[in-house]
Amino acid sequence: PTSLTFTLSQYDSLPIYSSQPLLLRADIAMYRCKGSHTKIRVFSEELDQHSVQRLSLMSELKEALIDGQLSLHYQPKLSLSSGEIECTECLIRWEHPEYGMIRPDEFIGLAEQTGSIRTVTQWAIKTALEQQARWREKGFLLGVAVNISALDLADMSLPAYVGELQTRLRLPPEKLTLEVTESAVMEDTETAMLALENLRRMGVQLSIDDFGTGFSSMAQLKQMPVNELKIDKAFVLNLASNQDDQTMVRTFLSLAENLGLTTVAEGVEDQAAQDLLARMGCSRIQGYHLSKPLPVEAFETW
Ligand code: C2E
Ligand code: CA
Ligand code: CA
């Protein structure tokens, strides 16, 4: 079974063997193993339903990229000191011809498991930078932030890919921020550190996303070549009414200050939270109160 699963894992398009029930079922069980980080999983009918749909979705992902079914939505980050929008986060959307809008939470994890995440990440970075170049032509040099996954930090060709695009489009490196989750950075510290250092040397900005949900130590954080801490929305959504959240956010902000990092609070849904964060000294905010992520035309109007 071990060699079977390894052989199968090289394919990310299911239809090749979808007519062969044994292989199909082994494949479904394998994906369940990967998803739940267990080594053995026995196939059952109940696993089938969901998996078949998800697996066939994955085989469609690369086509969707070529076909223009993927797009980026843009959500502004407001600088509390200048009152200006200096940067926008780019969030991926998949408009599937049959299933409608598929949220990133539903396919990014799968793309990581099947190895298509690199293609997705490269597409997102290229699309964001080309958009940035178009905005610059209109007179706005707006920063863009793109989410990358833990696996991208093991991709040694990523820094060169970013660098070549920025040179070709004549864009300043510091106007790109890569957001990477706290857990991703901590997972494989050595490789991740190397990748982060390469990007940092190029001048690209780095942000630790979902901060507060992982378990980084002070010592690890101090060594990270990052510029920004992005406080997870779990601590921000009810900030105005929750004393514990206020204590946590205050702690994160002073931690960031001591490490010389700027801060972003995501998930700001009301003015009360925005006012509190301004008083606490947070550098930037992001959230529905300001704007939801918007398609490019709507974002430009906003
Ligand atoms: P994230 O990077 O933590 O992004 C924040 C998520 O919170 C986004 O969900 C955003 O729409 C949502 N959000 C923003 N403001 C508010 C608010 O005020 N209240 C609430 N309740 N939610 C808010 P979205 O767009 O569904 O993205 C989910 C996750 O998918 C992202 O979490 C990110 O981890 C991942 N993702 C999105 N685009 C990409 C991408 O291009 N590449 C990779 N690797 N991951 C991506
Ligand atoms: Ca993010
Ligand atoms: Ca988050």
Side-chain angles (χ1 to χ4, degrees):
T2 315
S3 61
L4 176 66
T5 51
F6 275 105
T7 313
L8 284 173
S9 68
Q10 291 168 2
Y11 297 92
D12 60 7
S13 64
L14 186 68
I16 306 167
Y17 47 87
S18 60
S19 56
Q20 303 169 39
L22 178 62
L23 288 176
L24 173 68
R25 288 170 178 202
D27 200 42
I28 289 168
M30 180 191 70
Y31 276 101
R32 276 309 162 106
C33 284
K34 286 184 172 179
S36 57
H37 298 286
T38 47
K39 286 188 175 153
I40 296 171
R41 193 75 199 235
V42 178
F43 173 84
S44 71
E45 289 296 334
E46 157 242 335
L47 292 186
D48 196 19
Q49 268 294 305
H50 201 48
S51 303
V52 168
Q53 197 187 347
R54 281 157 47 109
L55 281 176
S56 65
L57 210 56
M58 271 310 97
S59 66
E60 291 173 45
L61 183 58
K62 279 183 183 161
E63 227 168 276
L65 276 163
I66 301 162
D67 220 35
Q69 293 170 26
L70 294 189
S71 65
L72 292 179
H73 281 197
Y74 299 87
Q75 187 180 34
K77 295 182 187 179
L78 171 73
S79 160
L80 288 173
S81 54
S82 72
E84 283 178 11
I85 307 295
E86 294 155 355
C87 181
T88 178
E89 182 173 4
C90 310
L91 294 148
I92 202 162
R93 297 290 180 263
W94 183 356
E95 188 67 46
H96 192 282
E98 212 177 309
Y99 308 129
M101 184 73 90
I102 308 174
R103 297 201 67 91
D105 286 331
E106 289 178 63
F107 67 89
I108 292 293
L110 270 175
E112 286 173 347
Q113 289 169 22
T114 54
S116 13
I117 190 68
R118 286 186 185 188
T119 322
V120 174
T121 300
Q122 291 188 353
W123 175 86
I125 291 175
K126 184 163 177 278
T127 308
L129 290 176
E130 285 172 351
Q131 184 57 58
Q132 186 177 46
R134 279 195 290 276
W135 283 330
R136 191 208 35 208
E137 275 160 30
K138 293 184 187 174
F140 301 103
L141 189 47
L142 188 64
V144 290
V146 178
N147 293 283
I148 63 170
S149 103
L151 294 174
D152 294 315
L153 290 180
D155 176 4
M156 288 305 180
S157 66
L158 185 72
Y161 179 80
V162 172
E164 276 159 29
L165 271 172
Q166 286 178 324
T167 309
R168 180 164 64 77
L169 296 165
R170 285 176 288 110
L171 294 168
E174 70 277 7
K175 286 289 180 181
L176 171 69
T177 303
L178 295 178
E179 298 190 3
V180 53
T181 59
E182 184 184 14
S183 54
V185 180
M186 301 307 151
E187 226 168 65
D188 180 357
T189 333
E190 246 173 67
T191 328
M193 277 281 274
L194 212 68
L196 291 176
E197 265 160 17
N198 280 340
L199 289 160
R200 191 69 214 100
R201 258 199 298 275
M202 290 163 52
V204 171
Q205 303 280 306
L206 299 167
S207 173
I208 302 193
D209 209 348
D210 294 351
F211 188 77
T213 58
F215 298 94
S216 26
S217 70
M218 276 289 273
Q220 277 174 313
L221 263 183
K222 224 180 118 197
Q223 286 176 18
M224 290 295 154
V226 297
N227 313 80
E228 178 182 275
L229 276 197
K230 194 163 181 186
I231 302 172
D232 192 70
K233 57 175 176 283
F235 303 97
V236 180
L237 289 172
N238 305 307
L239 190 67
S241 60
N242 188 315
Q243 292 290 330
D244 292 340
D245 287 347
Q246 290 176 21
T247 308
M248 292 302 285
V249 168
R250 234 180 242 115
T251 308
F252 296 150
L253 292 174
S254 85
L255 178 71
E257 201 191 339
N258 288 329
L259 293 168
L261 306 175
T262 62
T263 42
V264 184
E266 66 170 22
V268 174
E269 292 193 349
D270 47 53
Q271 188 63 42
Q274 177 171 334
D275 293 343
L276 256 173
L277 287 158
R279 280 205 296 279
M280 290 178 180
C282 184
S283 332
R284 294 176 187 166
I285 58 149
Q286 190 185 21
Y288 294 171
H289 178 58
L290 200 61
S291 168
K292 289 196 165 183
L294 298 169
V296 66
E297 304 80 25
F299 177 69
E300 285 175 351
T301 308
W302 181 89

